[in-house]
Amino acid sequence: MSSTTTFKVRPATLRDAKAIAELHNSSIREAFKNMLGDTPPPVTPLDKRQAYWREAIEYAEPQVQVALDDDKIIGFVGFDRSRDKGTPPTMGEIWAIYVAPSHWDKGVGLALWDAAREGLMEEGCANVSVWLPIANERVMRFHELAGFKREMNTAKTVQVGAVKIEEIRLKRALS
């Protein structure tokens, strides 16, 4: 499969919640392997993760889109208005964007980003932000190549399970 392969992206349905939850956990395990060394990654139990995504899909908060390879879900994105206090209603946010490790570097993330950008623009958003772990070089590189810029004054430490992670907000215009 080449990097020019295009993937179908569609709105998630309630039936997708389990596949999204499984993909979310497997992607976290793989991505955090390089960041945490021997420390176990902060993976939420599958039933809780599935309940979260089921509710998100049902109430469209955030809006959820899935990427498909044939009929198999290989990635997803959740996006909506920014959750950060004090941001204007024209500020969107990528709440989550994950791709199955088997499909990294194949254009799936770009297809999901395009779908999220279109959805946020339809909602009247002019800008978009995303919070990312600073130590996750792959995800930082992806977002920077997509035009996001680091907001250096936003760096913070967050507790994720038993692990403390340094995060930073990145931002870009949608147009």
Side-chain angles (χ1 to χ4, degrees), residues 1-4 7 99-110 138 141-142 145:
M1 200 178 303
S2 74
S3 61
T4 58
F7 296 92
V99 173
S102 61
H103 284 74
W104 285 354
D105 298 323
K106 296 182 180 179
V108 179
L110 184 58
R138 169 184 292 280
R141 185 174 58 249
F142 171 82
L145 287 171

PDB file of all heavy atoms in Angstrom, residues 1-4 7 99-110 138 141-142 145:
ATOM      1  N   MET A   1       0.855  -1.173   0.000  1.00  0.00           N
ATOM      2  CA  MET A   1       0.000   0.000   0.000  1.00  0.00           C
ATOM      3  C   MET A   1       0.897   1.231   0.000  1.00  0.00           C
ATOM      4  O   MET A   1       1.787   1.372   0.811  1.00  0.00           O
ATOM      5  CB  MET A   1      -0.882  -0.024   1.254  1.00  0.00           C
ATOM      6  CG  MET A   1      -2.093   0.840   1.151  1.00  0.00           C
ATOM      7  SD  MET A   1      -3.138   0.725   2.623  1.00  0.00           S
ATOM      8  CE  MET A   1      -3.491  -0.994   2.719  1.00  0.00           C
ATOM      9  N   SER A   2       0.665   2.134  -0.920  1.00  0.00           N
ATOM     10  CA  SER A   2       1.512   3.320  -1.023  1.00  0.00           C
ATOM     11  C   SER A   2       0.946   4.481  -0.221  1.00  0.00           C
ATOM     12  O   SER A   2      -0.177   4.442   0.239  1.00  0.00           O
ATOM     13  CB  SER A   2       1.627   3.741  -2.493  1.00  0.00           C
ATOM     14  OG  SER A   2       0.417   4.333  -2.924  1.00  0.00           O
ATOM     15  N   SER A   3       1.753   5.530  -0.091  1.00  0.00           N
ATOM     16  CA  SER A   3       1.311   6.697   0.667  1.00  0.00           C
ATOM     17  C   SER A   3       0.253   7.487  -0.087  1.00  0.00           C
ATOM     18  O   SER A   3      -0.330   8.402   0.461  1.00  0.00           O
ATOM     19  CB  SER A   3       2.508   7.585   1.004  1.00  0.00           C
ATOM     20  OG  SER A   3       3.102   8.029  -0.193  1.00  0.00           O
ATOM     21  N   THR A   4      -0.007   7.145  -1.354  1.00  0.00           N
ATOM     22  CA  THR A   4      -1.039   7.846  -2.112  1.00  0.00           C
ATOM     23  C   THR A   4      -2.394   7.143  -2.026  1.00  0.00           C
ATOM     24  O   THR A   4      -3.343   7.586  -2.639  1.00  0.00           O
ATOM     25  CB  THR A   4      -0.633   7.974  -3.598  1.00  0.00           C
ATOM     26  OG1 THR A   4      -0.414   6.660  -4.125  1.00  0.00           O
ATOM     27  CG2 THR A   4       0.626   8.815  -3.747  1.00  0.00           C
ATOM     28  N   PHE A   7      -8.308   6.575   1.745  1.00  0.00           N
ATOM     29  CA  PHE A   7      -9.125   5.759   2.623  1.00  0.00           C
ATOM     30  C   PHE A   7     -10.490   6.400   2.770  1.00  0.00           C
ATOM     31  O   PHE A   7     -10.606   7.624   2.836  1.00  0.00           O
ATOM     32  CB  PHE A   7      -8.456   5.628   4.000  1.00  0.00           C
ATOM     33  CG  PHE A   7      -7.145   4.914   3.933  1.00  0.00           C
ATOM     34  CD1 PHE A   7      -5.960   5.620   3.773  1.00  0.00           C
ATOM     35  CD2 PHE A   7      -7.096   3.538   3.999  1.00  0.00           C
ATOM     36  CE1 PHE A   7      -4.747   4.960   3.686  1.00  0.00           C
ATOM     37  CE2 PHE A   7      -5.878   2.870   3.910  1.00  0.00           C
ATOM     38  CZ  PHE A   7      -4.705   3.579   3.753  1.00  0.00           C
ATOM     39  N   VAL A  99      -4.625   6.011  14.786  1.00  0.00           N
ATOM     40  CA  VAL A  99      -4.557   5.126  13.622  1.00  0.00           C
ATOM     41  C   VAL A  99      -3.950   3.804  14.086  1.00  0.00           C
ATOM     42  O   VAL A  99      -3.031   3.787  14.910  1.00  0.00           O
ATOM     43  CB  VAL A  99      -3.686   5.759  12.508  1.00  0.00           C
ATOM     44  CG1 VAL A  99      -3.472   4.787  11.361  1.00  0.00           C
ATOM     45  CG2 VAL A  99      -4.318   7.057  12.010  1.00  0.00           C
ATOM     46  N   ALA A 100      -4.477   2.711  13.564  1.00  0.00           N
ATOM     47  CA  ALA A 100      -3.919   1.388  13.882  1.00  0.00           C
ATOM     48  C   ALA A 100      -2.444   1.376  13.499  1.00  0.00           C
ATOM     49  O   ALA A 100      -2.079   1.831  12.408  1.00  0.00           O
ATOM     50  CB  ALA A 100      -4.672   0.308  13.112  1.00  0.00           C
ATOM     51  N   PRO A 101      -1.581   0.885  14.391  1.00  0.00           N
ATOM     52  CA  PRO A 101      -0.143   0.856  14.082  1.00  0.00           C
ATOM     53  C   PRO A 101       0.178   0.195  12.738  1.00  0.00           C
ATOM     54  O   PRO A 101       1.123   0.601  12.060  1.00  0.00           O
ATOM     55  CB  PRO A 101       0.455   0.077  15.259  1.00  0.00           C
ATOM     56  CG  PRO A 101      -0.486   0.356  16.396  1.00  0.00           C
ATOM     57  CD  PRO A 101      -1.858   0.406  15.758  1.00  0.00           C
ATOM     58  N   SER A 102      -0.615  -0.777  12.335  1.00  0.00           N
ATOM     59  CA  SER A 102      -0.390  -1.447  11.046  1.00  0.00           C
ATOM     60  C   SER A 102      -0.579  -0.505   9.858  1.00  0.00           C
ATOM     61  O   SER A 102      -0.147  -0.807   8.752  1.00  0.00           O
ATOM     62  CB  SER A 102      -1.349  -2.632  10.898  1.00  0.00           C
ATOM     63  OG  SER A 102      -2.696  -2.172  10.923  1.00  0.00           O
ATOM     64  N   HIS A 103      -1.215   0.650  10.102  1.00  0.00           N
ATOM     65  CA  HIS A 103      -1.497   1.597   9.024  1.00  0.00           C
ATOM     66  C   HIS A 103      -0.804   2.948   9.222  1.00  0.00           C
ATOM     67  O   HIS A 103      -1.144   3.921   8.546  1.00  0.00           O
ATOM     68  CB  HIS A 103      -3.013   1.781   8.882  1.00  0.00           C
ATOM     69  CG  HIS A 103      -3.670   0.621   8.203  1.00  0.00           C
ATOM     70  ND1 HIS A 103      -3.864  -0.593   8.823  1.00  0.00           N
ATOM     71  CD2 HIS A 103      -4.144   0.482   6.958  1.00  0.00           C
ATOM     72  CE1 HIS A 103      -4.447  -1.420   7.982  1.00  0.00           C
ATOM     73  NE2 HIS A 103      -4.622  -0.796   6.841  1.00  0.00           N
ATOM     74  N   TRP A 104       0.164   3.003  10.120  1.00  0.00           N
ATOM     75  CA  TRP A 104       0.928   4.244  10.294  1.00  0.00           C
ATOM     76  C   TRP A 104       1.692   4.544   9.006  1.00  0.00           C
ATOM     77  O   TRP A 104       2.136   3.646   8.300  1.00  0.00           O
ATOM     78  CB  TRP A 104       1.906   4.111  11.454  1.00  0.00           C
ATOM     79  CG  TRP A 104       1.268   4.184  12.815  1.00  0.00           C
ATOM     80  CD1 TRP A 104      -0.041   4.459  13.103  1.00  0.00           C
ATOM     81  CD2 TRP A 104       1.900   3.960  14.071  1.00  0.00           C
ATOM     82  NE1 TRP A 104      -0.252   4.424  14.463  1.00  0.00           N
ATOM     83  CE2 TRP A 104       0.936   4.126  15.082  1.00  0.00           C
ATOM     84  CE3 TRP A 104       3.197   3.639  14.439  1.00  0.00           C
ATOM     85  CZ2 TRP A 104       1.224   3.975  16.437  1.00  0.00           C
ATOM     86  CZ3 TRP A 104       3.489   3.494  15.788  1.00  0.00           C
ATOM     87  CH2 TRP A 104       2.507   3.669  16.776  1.00  0.00           C
ATOM     88  N   ASP A 105       1.829   5.813   8.707  1.00  0.00           N
ATOM     89  CA  ASP A 105       2.602   6.296   7.548  1.00  0.00           C
ATOM     90  C   ASP A 105       2.003   5.865   6.212  1.00  0.00           C
ATOM     91  O   ASP A 105       2.734   5.725   5.228  1.00  0.00           O
ATOM     92  CB  ASP A 105       4.073   5.829   7.637  1.00  0.00           C
ATOM     93  CG  ASP A 105       4.773   6.379   8.860  1.00  0.00           C
ATOM     94  OD1 ASP A 105       4.502   7.537   9.237  1.00  0.00           O
ATOM     95  OD2 ASP A 105       5.594   5.644   9.448  1.00  0.00           O
ATOM     96  N   LYS A 106       0.688   5.694   6.165  1.00  0.00           N
ATOM     97  CA  LYS A 106       0.043   5.287   4.918  1.00  0.00           C
ATOM     98  C   LYS A 106      -1.038   6.270   4.471  1.00  0.00           C
ATOM     99  O   LYS A 106      -1.776   5.976   3.534  1.00  0.00           O
ATOM    100  CB  LYS A 106      -0.539   3.878   5.060  1.00  0.00           C
ATOM    101  CG  LYS A 106       0.554   2.840   5.283  1.00  0.00           C
ATOM    102  CD  LYS A 106       0.007   1.450   5.376  1.00  0.00           C
ATOM    103  CE  LYS A 106       1.159   0.474   5.587  1.00  0.00           C
ATOM    104  NZ  LYS A 106       0.708  -0.895   5.708  1.00  0.00           N
ATOM    105  N   GLY A 107      -1.169   7.394   5.163  1.00  0.00           N
ATOM    106  CA  GLY A 107      -2.141   8.402   4.751  1.00  0.00           C
ATOM    107  C   GLY A 107      -3.452   8.390   5.507  1.00  0.00           C
ATOM    108  O   GLY A 107      -4.325   9.210   5.243  1.00  0.00           O
ATOM    109  N   VAL A 108      -3.603   7.482   6.458  1.00  0.00           N
ATOM    110  CA  VAL A 108      -4.853   7.390   7.220  1.00  0.00           C
ATOM    111  C   VAL A 108      -5.040   8.628   8.100  1.00  0.00           C
ATOM    112  O   VAL A 108      -6.114   9.220   8.143  1.00  0.00           O
ATOM    113  CB  VAL A 108      -4.906   6.107   8.088  1.00  0.00           C
ATOM    114  CG1 VAL A 108      -6.205   6.044   8.884  1.00  0.00           C
ATOM    115  CG2 VAL A 108      -4.740   4.878   7.214  1.00  0.00           C
ATOM    116  N   GLY A 109      -3.978   9.029   8.793  1.00  0.00           N
ATOM    117  CA  GLY A 109      -4.056  10.214   9.641  1.00  0.00           C
ATOM    118  C   GLY A 109      -4.438  11.449   8.846  1.00  0.00           C
ATOM    119  O   GLY A 109      -5.255  12.262   9.286  1.00  0.00           O
ATOM    120  N   LEU A 110      -3.874  11.581   7.654  1.00  0.00           N
ATOM    121  CA  LEU A 110      -4.193  12.722   6.796  1.00  0.00           C
ATOM    122  C   LEU A 110      -5.662  12.701   6.372  1.00  0.00           C
ATOM    123  O   LEU A 110      -6.332  13.732   6.386  1.00  0.00           O
ATOM    124  CB  LEU A 110      -3.277  12.732   5.576  1.00  0.00           C
ATOM    125  CG  LEU A 110      -3.424  13.915   4.637  1.00  0.00           C
ATOM    126  CD1 LEU A 110      -3.180  15.236   5.362  1.00  0.00           C
ATOM    127  CD2 LEU A 110      -2.461  13.769   3.467  1.00  0.00           C
ATOM    128  N   ARG A 138       6.426  11.056  16.855  1.00  0.00           N
ATOM    129  CA  ARG A 138       5.651  10.731  15.651  1.00  0.00           C
ATOM    130  C   ARG A 138       4.420  11.632  15.539  1.00  0.00           C
ATOM    131  O   ARG A 138       4.160  12.220  14.506  1.00  0.00           O
ATOM    132  CB  ARG A 138       5.208   9.266  15.684  1.00  0.00           C
ATOM    133  CG  ARG A 138       4.190   8.895  14.611  1.00  0.00           C
ATOM    134  CD  ARG A 138       3.715   7.457  14.762  1.00  0.00           C
ATOM    135  NE  ARG A 138       4.769   6.515  14.484  1.00  0.00           N
ATOM    136  CZ  ARG A 138       5.150   6.164  13.258  1.00  0.00           C
ATOM    137  NH1 ARG A 138       4.543   6.671  12.219  1.00  0.00           N
ATOM    138  NH2 ARG A 138       6.122   5.308  13.078  1.00  0.00           N
ATOM    139  N   ARG A 141       5.376  15.335  14.936  1.00  0.00           N
ATOM    140  CA  ARG A 141       5.798  15.549  13.549  1.00  0.00           C
ATOM    141  C   ARG A 141       4.588  15.583  12.610  1.00  0.00           C
ATOM    142  O   ARG A 141       4.495  16.447  11.736  1.00  0.00           O
ATOM    143  CB  ARG A 141       6.785  14.446  13.132  1.00  0.00           C
ATOM    144  CG  ARG A 141       7.375  14.654  11.747  1.00  0.00           C
ATOM    145  CD  ARG A 141       8.462  13.634  11.409  1.00  0.00           C
ATOM    146  NE  ARG A 141       7.979  12.254  11.476  1.00  0.00           N
ATOM    147  CZ  ARG A 141       8.351  11.368  12.393  1.00  0.00           C
ATOM    148  NH1 ARG A 141       9.206  11.693  13.332  1.00  0.00           N
ATOM    149  NH2 ARG A 141       7.867  10.138  12.373  1.00  0.00           N
ATOM    150  N   PHE A 142       3.641  14.659  12.801  1.00  0.00           N
ATOM    151  CA  PHE A 142       2.451  14.636  11.952  1.00  0.00           C
ATOM    152  C   PHE A 142       1.711  15.971  12.015  1.00  0.00           C
ATOM    153  O   PHE A 142       1.372  16.553  10.984  1.00  0.00           O
ATOM    154  CB  PHE A 142       1.507  13.491  12.370  1.00  0.00           C
ATOM    155  CG  PHE A 142       0.175  13.550  11.673  1.00  0.00           C
ATOM    156  CD1 PHE A 142       0.026  13.038  10.400  1.00  0.00           C
ATOM    157  CD2 PHE A 142      -0.927  14.150  12.281  1.00  0.00           C
ATOM    158  CE1 PHE A 142      -1.202  13.115   9.738  1.00  0.00           C
ATOM    159  CE2 PHE A 142      -2.151  14.226  11.636  1.00  0.00           C
ATOM    160  CZ  PHE A 142      -2.282  13.703  10.357  1.00  0.00           C
ATOM    161  N   LEU A 145       3.638  18.882  10.439  1.00  0.00           N
ATOM    162  CA  LEU A 145       3.572  18.813   8.977  1.00  0.00           C
ATOM    163  C   LEU A 145       2.193  19.244   8.462  1.00  0.00           C
ATOM    164  O   LEU A 145       2.071  19.734   7.341  1.00  0.00           O
ATOM    165  CB  LEU A 145       3.903  17.400   8.487  1.00  0.00           C
ATOM    166  CG  LEU A 145       5.374  17.002   8.597  1.00  0.00           C
ATOM    167  CD1 LEU A 145       5.553  15.514   8.290  1.00  0.00           C
ATOM    168  CD2 LEU A 145       6.240  17.855   7.678  1.00  0.00           C
TER     169      LEU A 145
END
